[in-house]
Amino acid sequence: MQDYTLSTDRLAYRVKGLRMAASVLHCGAHPDDEDIGLLSYLSHKYCVRVFYWSATRGEGGQNRVGPYTGEALGIYRTWETLAARSNDGGEALFGPFFDFGYCKRSIDAFSKWGRETMVREMVRAIRQAKPMIVVGRWLGALSDLHGHHQAVGEALYDAFDADAKPDRFPELTSLGLPPWQPAKFYLSTDNTGGDYSAGAALNLFGRLNPELERNGALRINTGEYDPISGMTYQKMAWLAYNNHKTQAHGMAPASGDFYYYFTLHKSHVPVPKRECEFFDGFDPTLAGLAERLPGSGAALKDQLRMVVRAVDEALGALGAADPRAAGFSLMQGLTLLREAIRSERGSDTESMYRQAVLLSLDERCRDFEDVAAQCLGLELEGLSNKSRITPDSRISVQVRLWNHRGAAIDELNFDLDVPTGWHVEKSRAAAALTELMLDCQVTAKPTDAFTCPYWLRSARNGFVYTWPDDATAGRPFSEPELRANCRVTVDGTALTLRRPVVVRQAFPGGYREFPVAVVPPIALQPQLIREFRPVSQKKQTIEVHVAAINNTEKPIVGNLRLDGPAGWIVQPECIAIALSKLGDSVNGRFEVELPADILEGLYILRCNCRIDDQDFSYTVTPVRMGALGLPGPPTASNCSKEANIIAPAEIKVSVIRTAWASAQSCAYVSGVTDEIRETLRRFGVSFSELSDGDLAHSNLQVHDVIVVGPNAYLLREELRNNAKRLLNYVHSGGTLIVQYQGYGYQNGEFAPFPFRYNQPHDRVTDETAKVTISDPNHPVFRFPNKIAESDFDGWVHDRGMYFFGDWDKRYRSLAKCADSGEEAKGGGLLTCQYGRGHFIYVAYSFFRQLPAGVAGAFRLFANLLALPSARLHERAEFLKQLDLFAACEEEQLIAAARLMTESWYADGTVICQEDDVGTELYLVYNGVVDVIKTDGGLKKIVASLGRGGCAGEMAVIGNVPRTATLVARGDVELLIIRGDQFKDLLKANSLMAISLLEILVKRLTQAKP
């Protein structure tokens, strides 16, 4: 809620700003992109209006302070933006574009947002702000380091030129936003010195840059001292920037010079080669507006100069203890300004900017009224007894004008703005020297238009919000439902004051002011909004819990129902509910039977409550900001800000065709919060959570598979400390699946073999990018689900991030993909054998895909978990082909396969040496091994063993030295079994022992005498 009571220093800024007409529009892609020193510098040094337009509300960014993501995070970051603007003196505007996450090029952003749509919305912002100066934060080049940045930069070039053309976007003109042509267009210039540690091209140090000291470049020093605030403009800027808490920004304010550079891209006014200030080339005061209407001649300019002189008189009087004299000077200036507007409206001036100039002057009149009232000590407030109202219910509103300095009021009228159809009953008016008051009873009409952030009232059109066709569009939030108005006449001058009606409440740690919100009489909250079930030949049951919450102060009686797709059976058909008072809730339990042989797909269960022949089917999800210093997450009783997302009450059920390996023990090492374990629980896949103590001390070998969560190695010190235990787990036969990890992962010995990330790291941001399976016969793509490239259809957000850039040849790349125009990247899914176990690095974003119900991702993840079983069966199949193991039963083959270690040898590597004591049996899994014997001092290849070849039996069984040297020809993979384990197999399997004897006899009879 805006603070309408101004301290003397803030009042000085506002009075000073009344003489200025020039405004500045700064455009970026995200809420924290701004050149923040620019905003504090212009708004406090020159007291001009400075707008920061963000294309998105940052829904795809990180959140370091709470659980909110997506649209809820967008609300939270809007609050953070307003807090930043409160510090730096700027104002906020937004585009309708949903932040879908990182992309590399503008074409990727335009494919989701639409280039023409972005140009139109920038033109909207220009017409709303009516700036004389536009400053683009981004250049529209690859150096912007983000596709969103690049798209904003590119579109702004078009928008700057398009806004002056009345035939472009006539729909904006019909909404009361006439054309406006800014005078100058600047571009922010990178002054980072190459330090991007705090993000893309953030000016951290403000250094004096000789390379930018040139014609066409403007330098400002935000390290200048501001005598009103008692600090430098850059100090104000960093205090503002620190409000972006979800993004973990923290800057320590410091005194001293701090430089920003801006390049002049285009100017419609003459400027010197080397500019000193943004306003070089035109008059930024109110009088300068007359230059937009050349047909009005000098008359309008003279009138506006008189207004400026009145403001200067007010500034001179403001230093006194009683600022009422300044207020009377401002009322004189207001009278002059109104006369100038009347004269201009009565003229026959022809200019395409005439309507925009008049709108700008009307806005300035409202500013004069507001600031003059502040100087006179007039304060309007509208207070409600409730923060929430339901349709057809009543609240009490008290409107009060505080006359703090005893101004002589000639005339007074109160009014209350309410939505169409609402009823206002004025019950009492009182007057005194210091206060005047009006009490009202306000009744809301029956409606389904509930209070929700305006951009969330309707479903998004892809990645663009659906906006209302009114003046709300582009603002941080919509106007409040109720607004108090007071028309007061002082010394013959009429002032109209406007304030939102709020509820003012104290809570532990402070107080808060909430505008009145309209909510449905009953809210339905499913316990889970997402369910998952496998395709099955049998009927399945889902247990659904739905809470019904009374939002009214009267009893509610109704029937709670859950409606499912055709063929689904819901029991009971309805549940009678009775809620006696505000806040009462009841839980309804339903059993939903899914039919047998249900097809894969997304199904919807809809919650509904019928009350008095009217159906209600809404969830009310609060988004809250906590007060600084209070422990724990914010609640309804202690939050400082609150907004409601009102959406259909429904449960999405994803039915997925997938098979899972049975009887596996799985464990999970958590990193960044994800929903993988909870999602897979619905398929009977359970994970043991490994604590720091478990990583250090527990027996890891009891688990068939251990999955490491995203960024766990970076977040958990004990995981880094015990990384060798995990590698030993793999070497002893375990399977380790590591999801994406940041740069720090490559700096330790956390993976079995060397690798490195590229800088910047390889990632694929296009969720539709073609994925090529490198080896369709690999078990990851065959067991227990057959994986095809179609299983990568329907993915969301991206393919993945932190792909390996280069890796040891012992890793095997299983799939490749790339963003358009880039080389295929194979570092997103790699596996290797390490000892008797398996290591998998998977950069593909399963943490996004599984909670989103992407069917192919479920199947692939199931196969990753099943890799231990798949590889055992693959080895068993391999052994079955060999004479030595041909007589073994499947269980015996599996037991033998479990004992084997897989090792990789580079070309020319000596595997074992002739005359050495043999302790291992070798089976050639892939590649060729040369058998070399020494004869007369000469080494000679006597045989070459291909896939399935066996060596070392005689040395192992007879405890005799090896009779030959084995050397890898090309890269070779061997299965190795220790001699003692091999003997145990022979003891347990007589047929295998006989097979071995037959092989040895045959080999001896074939040998030369």
Side-chain angles (χ1 to χ4, degrees), residues 213-269:
E213 297 289 334
R214 51 179 167 75
N215 291 342
L218 169 64
R219 182 191 71 205
I220 64 172
N221 183 5
T222 59
E224 292 177 12
Y225 179 75
D226 174 39
I228 298 178
S229 66
M231 65 177 75
T232 68
Y233 302 116
Q234 191 60 36
K235 274 190 174 182
M236 297 183 207
W238 288 142
L239 291 173
Y241 201 66
N242 289 344
N243 284 289
H244 296 298
K245 292 180 172 58
T246 56
Q247 308 311 292
H249 292 321
M251 304 301 297
S255 297
D257 290 338
F258 198 101
Y259 299 104
Y260 289 84
Y261 291 86
F262 302 90
T263 301
L264 181 63
H265 174 71
K266 182 174 287 189
S267 178
H268 295 296
V269 297

Side-chain angles (χ1 to χ4, degrees), residues 101-173:
Y102 177 81
C103 66
K104 297 173 183 174
R105 302 173 306 156
S106 59
I107 192 172
D108 303 322
F110 288 140
S111 70
K112 291 180 168 63
W113 294 340
R115 185 187 183 105
E116 187 71 357
T117 302
M118 177 164 277
V119 173
R120 184 192 66 218
E121 294 308 323
M122 287 179 163
V123 169
R124 184 199 300 269
I126 291 172
R127 296 187 183 187
Q128 286 174 324
K130 294 179 282 297
M132 293 298 288
I133 296 169
V134 172
V135 182
R137 178 65 180 86
W138 304 111
L139 303 178
L142 290 176
S143 59
D144 292 334
L145 304 178
H146 197 312
H148 295 180
H149 299 166
Q150 190 179 348
V152 166
E154 287 184 23
L156 190 55
Y157 294 115
D158 292 347
F160 183 84
D161 294 328
D163 191 42
K165 301 174 182 177
D167 57 331
R168 293 290 302 271
F169 313 115
E171 68 273 20
L172 295 179
T173 304

Side-chain angles (χ1 to χ4, degrees), residues 28-71:
H30 308 110
D32 58 338
D33 282 356
E34 71 270 56
D35 265 333
I36 195 128
L38 171 72
L39 276 63
S40 60
Y41 177 82
L42 292 174
S43 65
H44 290 93
K45 181 175 181 177
Y46 298 100
C47 296
V48 296
R49 297 180 73 182
V50 186
F51 296 85
Y52 176 65
W53 181 86
S54 174
T56 74
R57 294 176 188 260
E59 301 90 339
Q62 62 179 338
N63 185 355
R64 296 291 185 90
V65 299
Y68 299 126
T69 59
E71 293 166 341

Side-chain angles (χ1 to χ4, degrees), residues 806-984:
D806 289 309
W807 54 90
D808 189 284
K809 62 171 62 177
R810 283 168 284 190
Y811 291 108
R812 189 172 180 182
S813 173
L814 302 182
K816 296 180 179 180
C817 67
D819 285 317
S820 177
E822 296 184 350
E823 291 184 3
K825 296 173 173 58
L829 180 57
L830 300 110
T831 183
C832 70
Q833 185 74 24
Y834 185 61
R836 298 210 313 268
H838 312 281
F839 172 86
I840 304 168
Y841 180 78
V842 54
Y844 287 84
S845 57
F846 287 101
F847 70 99
R848 301 189 205 275
Q849 312 309 322
L850 300 186
V854 178
F858 276 85
R859 288 188 279 273
L860 181 54
F861 201 81
N863 285 14
L864 292 175
L865 293 179
L867 187 59
S869 298
R871 292 306 299 263
L872 281 175
H873 284 85
E874 184 183 53
R875 286 184 190 172
E877 246 178 70
F878 169 74
L879 295 177
K880 184 72 175 174
Q881 320 269 332
L882 308 182
D883 292 341
L884 179 59
F885 295 90
C888 294
E889 301 291 334
E890 184 175 356
E891 285 185 11
Q892 295 168 323
L893 292 171
I894 294 292
R898 199 183 297 275
L899 294 174
M900 292 180 172
T901 298
E902 187 171 322
S903 288
W904 177 91
Y905 295 89
D907 180 33
T909 302
V910 175
I911 299 166
C912 64
Q913 196 78 41
E914 186 177 359
D915 294 330
D916 285 350
V917 176
T919 59
E920 294 171 321
L921 174 70
Y922 301 106
L923 301 174
V924 181
Y925 199 47
N926 283 305
V928 176
V929 172
D930 288 330
V931 181
I932 301 174
K933 287 190 175 184
T934 303
D935 186 4
L938 297 176
K939 295 184 181 294
K940 185 190 301 184
I941 298 176
V942 297
S944 294
L945 304 177
R947 180 175 170 83
C950 179
E953 316 96 316
M954 296 179 66
V956 167
I957 295 300
N959 294 319
V960 295
R962 296 197 182 276
T963 59
T965 297
L966 301 181
V967 178
R969 188 203 302 175
D971 294 340
V972 173
E973 290 178 77
L974 300 181
L975 296 180
I976 303 172
I977 185 169
R978 292 202 325 258
D980 57 338
Q981 294 174 330
F982 183 59
K983 289 176 182 178
D984 289 340

